[in-house]
Structures are given as structure tokens and as C-alpha cells.
Amino acid sequence: MSRRPRHPWLRPAANIGLIAVLLIALSFLPPDNSLAEVQENGVLKLCVPESYPPLVQADEDSPGFDVELAGLIAQEIGVRLVVNVMPSIGRDFNPRNWRLTRGQCNIIAGGVADTVQTQGFLQTLPTLAETGWVGISLDGSLPARGSSWAVWPGTSGLDRLALSRWLRENDVKARLVSSPTELRALLDRGEIDGAITERFAASATGIDNGKYQVFWLPPESFERFRMALGLWKGDQTLYRAVRAALKKLDYKVKNIGSEYGLVYNFRVTSEQLAAKNFTCGLALTT
Amino acid sequence: MANIVSVENVRASYGGTVALDGVSLEIEEGSSFALLGPNGAGKTTLMNILCTLRAPQDGRVLVAGHDVVRAPRLARRSIGVVFQTSSLDDRLTARENLNFHGLVHGLAPKRRRFHIERVLELVGLQDWQDEIVRTFSGGMRRRLEIARALMHEPRILFLDEPTVGLDAQTRQQIWEYLDQLRTERKITILTTTHYIEEVEDADVVCIIDRGKIIAQGSPEALKAEHGRRWVQADVTHAEARKAILAQFPEARPLGARSIVAPAESIEADYLQTEPFKDKLTEIRYREPTLESVFLSLTGRDLRDRTDGEREAQMAEGRRGGRR
Amino acid sequence: MNEAIGAVRGVYGVWLREITRATRDRGQMIGGVSRPIIWLLILGVGLNPYFRGEVYGQVAYVVPYTYLQFLFPAVIVLNIMYTSIQFAVSMIWDREFGFLREVLVSPMPRSLILLGKVLGGATVATTHGGLVLLLARFADVTLSFGEMAAALGFMFLLAFGLTSFGIILAARVRSFEGFGVFSNTLILPLYFASSSIFPLDPSLTRTQAVTSYPEWLVFLTRANPMTYAVDALRGILIDFNQFPTVLGPAIVLGMAVIFFVIALIDFNRT
């Protein structure tokens, strides 16, 4: 008696299943041919500045974390890495004037911070390096009220407005300098109580690590950003290939990272910072 | 016995046209009540008021003891309705249509299943239960609609022209179901129709015309009271028509071609003589039926007026079925 | 108590019927699948090179996502808009072919009948919107389960409001054919003027002011409630809001409530 009406539902269910399979299958279509081009030419082009230690270094044995990373990625994709050193990178505040084109670069690295501003132009793949504003001083303490500090903002696109606001609020006399060399000179001459700059810019100053302590500015006032590899927007297939390679290479990448002194655990460090009222020193090179 | 439906002095109009003009009637529980009248008489309007789709402008209507204006939802619990045009969802299967009805009437799953089987068996559609209604014939649809109206065990069944557009055999079959129901379940049935032969078995026939009830009673009582034997003569010749009408004061024109007169007032033999002899196409006697009751009361024929409209309705039904 | 169970059954019944009908309506299903394919796969890929920039720092619109990611939430909204507003056809169907009377003579209160219908239409529309999510991989939109649930919840709310809107239209349109033309002339302008396929509003990002559009077009975009629906869905799916985060959900919730109330007033009048 109780015949269950089965077949009226069977077909719609099959239809929906079919649609789902079709859509999922379609989602595997390549949306562009950026990866295909790279594979066809057999070359992955990486654009980097002249120097951005330790991410990019003018040293053949240790060319920098980003360059080695790109090498591994190229290997993974099965092509050769070509590093295009672009001295124009960082010369100007406006990246448009760096004149990096899609023809020259598949990936831009060495000083690309994963900020919203960068994402306006590039798709980013964060690496394990992290950047933010750091302070440099003899005793590793935060600027005292009324003290005088040198500031070199660097080029990686951190929020300068937030920094100047913070300096004003804390009643710190800021002295804007135009190069890392000038910053170091001021420090060494003792004309200032300390210096504030971007993390990797600090390592570019070449200051004496035994003498000075480098530390993050308070994390509740300043966001920190991961450094990233930048790919052109819309180069989806290449982006996916690089992302997949990074995931696969995770272990190797960490090893290289620790060689360049990037894999200290900054989480622990920030906890330590919190415990010591943000004044704990932080070694940037080993 | 108690009255299950009570209508008091109901008025309704569409725009400026009066559809119901002070209608009052009572229906006894368990009886079969037929509303007879030509299309446009106000039958469907009255039906819509009874099943709470429309509020009367004046008057009071009680269905199963509930005022249809003040407590329409209570009234709806006691009624099952079969509308003049199909109200099935023809993209669903028969069973899904019934299940839907059970759900909106709040039946529990077990009762729903039980009643679906019961009514499907009643109308003999078990083998078709999983078919999409779009593939059904007019008769099957009607049977399914009747089955659906009975699913929640209503006390009253309203049927608006239940057999319109169906062939004689299907009509017969549907009336068999309905009679069976009345005897088995003591259900009250209110039908509207313009098929005279379908109301002969009703307990009470109510004749409605132009928004007014003009006669009410058992078919026998109505025939006894208003039924007369009529002579109908079909005359094509206009002169002859005039002559006959002039000669017999009780004769009256019927439609464009006929003349009717009470049998006792006219000598049929006389019409067969000169000067009428060749002008008449047909002469016949009409025995006292409910149809002649209608004729006596209104001077119009029930059937002539409705045939054309019925065809229009059938066409509409077909159109509806195609979607 | 019994009353409440009965009411739930009734709403379920009306809902179930809409779902059943939708699964048998092949045309609607094909529309639900072909729209995202056309918009995302063809339009999205086709316009991609024009939005990507050839020189670092030089793109026409500066937003922190790719064009496909930007388009993706809008295509979901489009699919929901079509299915929801076209739902009105079901309402006209019921009215024209008499099925409505069957429901109206049942003991269900009208508000619950309408609720069941709107829930049914919204479920179908949400499903059609959800189908687009299957293409997330293509657009490089990564979704966690939480985001997926939030997106579906938001889509349902939007579909509820738009379905009610469709029913309001249905009460004012007589024929099926008329409605087809009507809905197309309504849906597409609403869609195009919602910052959906081009970022029409300079407030999208600060740098976006570079590409500025005439004031009247910006005004249209700002006045269009769909702009805020698209924006809220972008917030959920690609973490980007051009307006305050609460604004989108608030407007969509407001739409759902107001349109349902108007639809109910209409429905009580029939």
C-alpha cells in the first residue's frame, strides 16, 4: 500500500548533481596563459633591487632569501630563473617611477610588503619574513618623552602617517634623514637618542649589532606586515603555480630562512616584548 | 436536524453590477443541496462567499457554525472545495498535490499517508499517483480534485460545476463517487450546476437567477408547484411568430426562433394547420422537469443561454492545462 | 501547541511545493547555471587583461584583488536577483491558473502562506547563488567553512528580500510575457549600477578617485540598494568593503523586512 514516490525526485537530484559536476569541472579551466608563457619561454623572470639584505644581497654565495626562494620555485615549475636587478626599485616613493613592466618581471621581490597598498597593484604571496617599524638604540628602550630620534621611512610602503602621529603623541622630536648612511652616522656621532626605520632598512644601515639594540615599536600602535613575492594581477595560473610550489617547499624554505636569520620566532619575541613592556632587544642577524 | 450552512440576506456586487441581491438559504447537515441557475446568476459568487474567498457586502453567512467574515479560518476547517476551473498544480504529481493539501491542513505525516491512500482509492487513481498532473485528462483531474477536497475529512463539500466540460461517462462516474460519499460519510454536499439531470437526485434544489433565489424545495415539490407541460414550437418565419404570439396571450418567445406556451393554453393541432403548417420546423411537448420549472419561473431557457459559455470555459480549461 | 505544529506543517508544505516545482523547471535551472558561466568565465576572463596593469604602480583601478575576485560576489548577487525576481512568475501562475484558491481556502493564515512562498523562493535563489560558489576556485576566492556559512546566510537574507520584491511586482503585473520584459529591464540596470562589474564609485578606494565617473552615475550607484548588497558579499568573500561593514547587512535586512511587509499587505488585499 505505502508505495513511496521515489522516481519524481530522482531526476532533479541527478540534474543538480550534473550541474555541480559541470561547474566544478569548469572551475579547473585556466583563466589566463601566464604560466603557459613562462613554461614556453623556459624562464621565470624575477625583479629585485640592488640590495635589500637579507632578502636580496650582492653576494654570489648568498644572494638573499627572496632570490633563493625564487630559484626553488623556478625549479619546481621546471624553468630557469633569471634575476633582473632593477636599480630603480626604491629610488622613488611612487612605484610607477620604478618602471617595472610585465615584460621584464614575472615576480617582483626584495622589499615588497604585503600591505593593502601593494595589493592594489600586485597579487602578493607572503613569505616568512616580517617587517614593521623598528627602533634602534643603545639600551633597547622606547623613546623617552622629549628625546630626539632620527627617522628613515624606507621604501616598502609602511604607514608613515601612523608613525608621525605616534611620535607626536609621545612627544618625540623626529629628525628625518635621507639615507641609511646618514642615519648610522647620526647614531655613531651620538647626536640622537635613537633611530626609527623599517626593519630591513635597519639591517641595511650596517650598524654595529654588539653596540645597538633593535626592537619592534609597540605592536598595538603599529601593524607588522609579512614580506611578499609580488605577481601581476590577473596572472592567475602563474600565481597558483607559485603558491603551490611555496606550499610544497615549506620545509626547505624554512631552512633557507633560518640561514638568513629570518626564522627566529617572532611570536615568541612579541610575547617577550609584551612581558618586558616592549623594550626587549631583538637580534636581526645571527 | 441542524443547519450546517446558513445564509441570511447576502448582497454582493462587482463594480456596479449586482451579483447577489438579498440571498437567504439554509442547508441541513447531511443533505445534498443543489444550486441551479444559468451562468451569471450569482452561483459562483455565492460559492466564493461560502468558502470565504470573498466577503459579502451585507448579510450574514454561517458555515459549520462559524461566521465566514469574523472567523474565516475556523469555517475553512470544515469545508472541502472543488472549484469550477482546475486548481491543481499540474507540475506536481497526484500524490504531491494531495500531500500539499494535507500539509496546509496541518495533518500529521501518518494521517496524511492514510488519507492519501484512502482518497486515491476512492477515486481510483492509485495507479497514477506518481504521474505529473499535466498528463492527466480532464476527468482524471476532476477526480483528483474531489479526492483532494475530501482528504481532511470536511463536513461540507462545496462543488462548483463539478462536471463541467466532462463527457457523459465521466460525469456519471463522478456522481457515483459523490453519492457513495453521502451515504457512507454523511457529508453535506452543496453543488452548483446547470445540468438539470444532475440535480434530480438532490434533497433540495434552489433555483437562482439574476442574484435572487426564485424557488427552493425538493425536486418533486418544485415540479409539483411550478412544473407545467409546455409546448415548444420552432418557427423560422417572423410573420408566423407574430401571428401565433398575437393569437395566444400566454405564449412567449424563447430565443430567436422558438415560441413556448403552457400546454393547456394552446392547441398543438391547431398549429399544424394553415396558415402555420409550413412555417414550423418542429413542435414538441416538454414534460414537467426542473428545466421547465426554470422556464415557468423566468420565461427563459436554462440551457440555451449556457451552452456557448460552457464551450468557452472548456477552451479555457484546455489553455490552463497546457502550461 | 497543535496550532503551531499545524502552522509549521503548512509553511513547510508551501515551501516544499516551491522547491519541487523549481527542480522540475529546467529552463530556470539552465539560467541559473549559464549566467555565472557567461559572466565569470567569459566576461571575467575577457576583461581580465584590461584590469591587470602592465607597469607596476599603474593600473586603472586600484583595489586589493583581481578582476575575477572583484566580479565573483557580484555574479552571485546577479544570480540571486534573477531567480528571486523571476519567482514572481510562480505567483502570477498561481493566480492565473487558480492554484491560489486551493491555498486560500485552507485554514492557513495568509501571512504564513506568503512566508512559505517567500522562503521557498529564497531557498531556490540561494541555491542558485550557491552554485556560483562552486566556481570559487576559478576566481581564486578561497573560502573557509565559516565564510561559506556567512555567505550563504547573507545570500538567503538577500534572496528573501528580493523574492518579496518580486511578489510585490507580481501583484502589479498581469501577464507572464509582460513580466519577462519587465524583470529584464529592471534587473540589469540594478545590476550594472551596483559597482558590480566596474568599480563605479570613486569612494571604492582612495586611489580610485583617479578614475572618476560623472556625478549622476555615482549618485545612481549610491542610491541603488544592490550596491550595498554586493559590497557586503565582497566583505564576506574577499574581505573588502567600500562602505562601513554594518551598512550592507543592515540595508539587506531592512529590504527583507520592508518588502515582506508590503508583500503581505498586498497579499491580504487579494
Side-chain angles (χ1 to χ4, degrees):
Chain A
M1 264 309 264
S2 67
R3 222 176 95 202
R4 301 295 307 208
R6 230 166 239 130
H7 74 261
W9 281 102
L10 208 63
R11 225 172 58 182
N15 282 348
I16 290 170
L18 205 72
I19 287 168
V21 169
L22 172 78
L23 285 179
I24 290 172
L26 282 174
S27 77
F28 279 85
L29 281 175
D32 60 75
N33 43 14
S34 51
L35 179 62
E37 273 172 18
V38 166
Q39 283 169 334
E40 200 178 307
N41 299 333
V43 172
L44 181 70
K45 288 171 278 186
L46 177 75
C47 289
V48 292
E50 280 176 311
S51 171
Y52 196 77
L55 302 185
V56 179
Q57 299 174 165
D59 177 348
E60 269 184 34
D61 292 333
S62 64
F65 173 71
D66 278 2
V67 179
E68 285 197 36
L69 187 62
L72 284 176
I73 291 166
Q75 215 171 43
E76 191 64 36
I77 297 175
V79 294
R80 198 162 47 86
L81 179 74
V82 170
V83 181
N84 291 334
V85 177
M86 311 294 286
S88 58
I89 295 181
R91 286 257 171 95
D92 196 295
F93 285 144
N94 190 344
R96 204 183 307 175
N97 298 334
W98 301 353
R99 308 211 162 275
L100 305 181
T101 66
R102 262 186 100 240
Q104 291 169 309
C105 326
N106 295 122
I107 302 177
I108 300 170
V112 177
D114 190 14
T115 60
V116 173
Q117 202 202 350
T118 311
Q119 285 168 7
F121 303 104
L122 295 172
Q123 291 193 88
T124 53
L125 276 167
T127 63
L128 45 78
E130 196 187 34
T131 191
W133 294 117
V134 291
I136 306 170
S137 67
L138 285 168
D139 57 358
S141 61
L142 282 174
R145 289 191 171 269
S147 58
S148 171
W149 286 58
V151 176
W152 188 57
T155 52
S156 65
L158 294 176
D159 193 344
R160 292 149 214 250
L161 292 174
L163 178 65
S164 69
R165 208 180 309 123
W166 183 81
L167 289 170
R168 237 177 296 123
E169 276 166 14
N170 287 281
D171 202 17
V172 176
K173 271 180 238 149
R175 191 163 155 188
L176 205 64
V177 297
S178 56
S179 74
T181 338
E182 191 187 347
L183 185 126
R184 187 181 161 192
L186 284 175
L187 269 175
D188 285 346
R189 288 204 299 273
E191 283 180 28
I192 45 169
D193 299 311
I196 293 173
T197 185
E198 186 256 318
R199 185 203 159 167
F200 292 107
S203 52
T205 54
I207 48 160
D208 182 351
N209 283 306
K211 189 175 171 194
Y212 295 102
Q213 293 199 26
V214 181
F215 54 91
W216 295 117
L217 292 188
E220 75 270 9
S221 305
F222 298 106
E223 224 180 315
R224 271 184 256 155
F225 297 95
R226 303 280 287 278
M227 298 306 289
L229 302 177
L231 279 87
W232 298 99
K233 274 192 185 190
D235 282 359
Q236 288 308 312
T237 46
L238 183 63
Y239 177 79
R240 285 178 199 166
V242 173
R243 189 177 53 190
L246 274 178
K247 209 171 174 185
K248 203 173 159 196
L249 293 166
D250 190 48
Y251 181 71
K252 273 192 192 168
V253 172
K254 277 204 178 115
N255 277 346
I256 301 170
S258 64
E259 275 170 33
Y260 283 98
L262 293 165
V263 193
Y264 51 82
N265 198 333
F266 51 74
R267 278 195 196 82
V268 174
T269 311
S270 56
E271 273 159 26
Q272 286 168 350
L273 281 170
K276 295 192 181 177
N277 206 16
F278 315 118
T279 55
C280 181
L282 161 69
L284 286 171
T285 47
T286 42
Chain B
M1 243 198 248
N3 288 329
I4 194 157
V5 174
S6 140
V7 177
E8 278 171 45
N9 203 26
V10 161
R11 282 169 210 282
S13 59
Y14 291 99
T17 330
V18 177
L20 292 175
D21 187 9
V23 168
S24 299
L25 56 86
E26 305 282 332
I27 301 176
E28 262 183 30
E29 176 140 33
S31 68
S32 164
F33 190 98
L35 210 50
L36 182 69
N39 271 37
K43 286 178 302 189
T44 299
T45 309
L46 182 58
M47 203 60 129
N48 283 345
I49 290 173
L50 286 172
C51 57
T52 74
L53 285 182
R54 218 188 121 92
Q57 270 145 342
D58 196 15
R60 204 161 80 108
V61 179
L62 295 179
V63 170
H66 302 289
D67 191 307
V68 295
V69 179
R70 265 181 255 144
R73 288 183 53 212
L74 288 174
R76 282 183 220 145
R77 275 177 210 284
S78 318
I79 61 172
V81 187
V82 176
F83 294 100
Q84 191 171 349
T85 48
S86 170
S87 66
L88 293 167
D89 186 335
D90 66 6
R91 286 192 196 169
L92 301 188
T93 64
R95 200 187 179 91
E96 283 165 348
N97 265 291
L98 294 176
N99 194 43
F100 175 84
H101 188 85
L103 279 168
V104 296
H105 279 84
L107 302 186
K110 242 182 167 170
R111 279 186 69 199
R112 221 154 57 220
R113 236 168 289 143
F114 171 76
H115 285 296
I116 288 174
E117 300 300 340
R118 177 178 68 85
V119 297
L120 278 172
E121 200 185 318
L122 181 74
V123 298
L125 283 176
Q126 297 106 307
D127 292 345
W128 302 86
Q129 56 175 312
D130 290 332
E131 299 298 318
I132 304 279
V133 170
R134 202 178 341 191
T135 61
F136 281 21
S137 69
M140 284 162 79
R141 283 175 196 229
R142 243 327 113 95
R143 271 147 67 196
L144 181 59
E145 277 190 280
I146 292 171
R148 185 176 67 177
L150 293 169
M151 242 195 88
H152 57 287
E153 301 187 288
R155 289 166 69 192
I156 319 160
L157 188 60
F158 291 138
L159 300 132
D160 196 0
E161 305 270 3
T163 54
V164 98
L166 301 181
D167 58 73
Q169 199 189 342
T170 317
R171 255 154 62 186
Q172 173 93 30
Q173 206 180 7
I174 283 172
W175 280 107
E176 272 165 24
Y177 297 140
L178 294 176
D179 287 338
Q180 193 188 339
L181 275 173
R182 264 176 69 206
T183 48
E184 282 175 11
R185 310 195 76 93
K186 304 270 177 284
I187 196 169
T188 311
I189 295 182
L190 168 62
T191 341
T192 72
T193 187
H194 51 249
Y195 289 114
I196 299 288
E197 56 276 30
E198 288 179 355
V199 303
E200 297 277 358
D201 292 332
D203 296 329
V204 180
V205 175
C206 175
I207 299 178
I208 185 167
D209 188 44
R210 291 174 179 166
K212 282 190 170 147
I213 290 178
I214 51 177
Q216 191 174 345
S218 70
E220 295 72 29
L222 285 176
K223 275 186 260 185
E225 196 180 335
H226 305 284
R228 295 163 98 174
R229 209 157 161 255
W230 292 80
V231 171
Q232 178 173 345
D234 294 347
V235 198
T236 39
H237 202 274
E239 297 285 314
R241 270 161 64 94
K242 271 188 201 151
I244 296 172
L245 287 171
Q247 203 159 351
F248 301 98
E250 284 191 66
R252 40 189 137 150
L254 181 73
R257 294 183 295 119
S258 307
I259 288 169
V260 285
E264 66 275 10
S265 69
I266 197 163
E267 295 137 50
D269 291 343
Y270 174 76
L271 291 175
Q272 308 225 22
T273 60
E274 291 294 345
F276 309 118
K277 195 179 170 190
D278 301 328
K279 314 275 167 39
L280 302 184
T281 48
E282 198 184 333
I283 289 184
R284 61 175 183 272
Y285 285 97
R286 291 174 62 166
E287 295 305 315
T289 58
L290 286 169
E291 206 165 357
S292 63
V293 169
F294 186 81
L295 185 61
S296 310
L297 290 166
T298 64
R300 280 174 293 118
D301 209 339
L302 192 59
R303 212 177 277 167
D304 281 352
R305 276 192 58 184
T306 53
D307 273 350
E309 286 167 65
R310 196 172 63 214
E311 265 161 32
Q313 269 172 8
M314 281 168 67
E316 193 191 9
R318 276 198 299 276
R319 214 164 356 108
R322 214 186 307 140
R323 259 303 294 198
Chain C
M1 191 57 203
N2 270 342
E3 184 87 358
I5 293 174
V8 171
R9 276 193 199 116
V11 172
Y12 167 70
V14 178
W15 176 87
L16 183 67
R17 167 173 174 258
E18 297 305 331
I19 304 302
T20 313
R21 282 171 60 85
T23 58
R24 308 234 162 107
D25 190 343
R26 203 167 281 175
Q28 199 192 27
M29 256 200 263
I30 290 170
V33 180
S34 67
R35 266 189 303 274
I37 292 176
I38 291 168
W39 285 92
L40 212 56
L41 269 68
I42 299 177
L43 186 96
V45 170
L47 288 182
N48 188 31
Y50 302 94
F51 283 89
R52 87 184 149 192
E54 298 290 320
V55 175
Y56 182 34
Q58 200 168 35
V59 284
Y61 80 120
V62 184
V63 282
Y65 37 68
T66 66
Y67 184 60
L68 276 175
Q69 288 170 336
F70 173 76
L71 195 61
F72 186 72
V75 173
I76 294 179
V77 170
L78 177 73
N79 230 15
I80 292 178
M81 269 171 93
Y82 259 103
T83 314
S84 294
I85 293 178
Q86 295 283 10
F87 179 75
V89 170
S90 154
M91 205 67 187
I92 301 176
W93 195 94
D94 280 5
R95 201 177 55 208
E96 297 294 302
F97 293 114
F99 188 80
L100 191 61
R101 290 172 306 179
E102 146 76 359
V103 201
L104 292 182
V105 296
S106 79
M108 268 180 88
R110 291 196 172 190
S111 51
L112 291 184
I113 297 173
L114 188 71
L115 181 68
K117 276 204 89 82
V118 176
L119 286 178
T123 307
V124 176
T126 307
T127 311
H128 281 195
L131 282 178
V132 185
L133 288 178
L134 294 174
L135 288 169
R137 204 200 104 91
F138 184 82
D140 282 274
V141 175
T142 42
L143 293 171
S144 68
F145 278 106
E147 283 169 330
M148 194 104 95
L152 286 171
F154 177 79
M155 280 150 65
F156 189 81
L157 190 64
L158 175 66
F160 189 93
L162 289 173
T163 307
S164 304
F165 179 63
I167 289 175
I168 297 171
L169 294 182
R172 287 159 177 76
V173 177
R174 290 288 141 218
S175 70
F176 293 102
E177 294 79 7
F179 190 79
V181 176
F182 190 61
S183 66
N184 266 321
T185 51
L186 190 80
I187 292 169
L188 287 179
L190 276 177
Y191 175 67
F192 281 117
S194 67
S195 265
S196 54
I197 57 168
F198 309 109
L200 287 179
D201 192 332
S203 69
L204 193 60
T205 64
R206 258 168 290 155
T207 22
Q208 182 57 38
V210 172
T211 318
S212 62
Y213 289 94
E215 201 55 40
W216 58 267
L217 190 54
V218 173
F219 172 79
L220 270 185
T221 309
R222 294 233 173 123
N224 179 0
M226 298 320 293
T227 305
Y228 304 94
V230 171
D231 186 61
L233 201 56
R234 281 198 183 118
I236 296 168
L237 293 175
I238 59 172
D239 246 341
F240 187 85
N241 283 96
Q242 72 183 93
F243 300 105
T245 344
V246 286
L247 196 60
I251 285 177
V252 170
L253 181 68
M255 263 165 58
V257 172
I258 292 167
F259 287 150
F260 185 76
V261 169
I262 297 175
L264 190 60
I265 293 169
D266 277 354
F267 192 57
N268 274 330
R269 228 183 274 147
T270 48

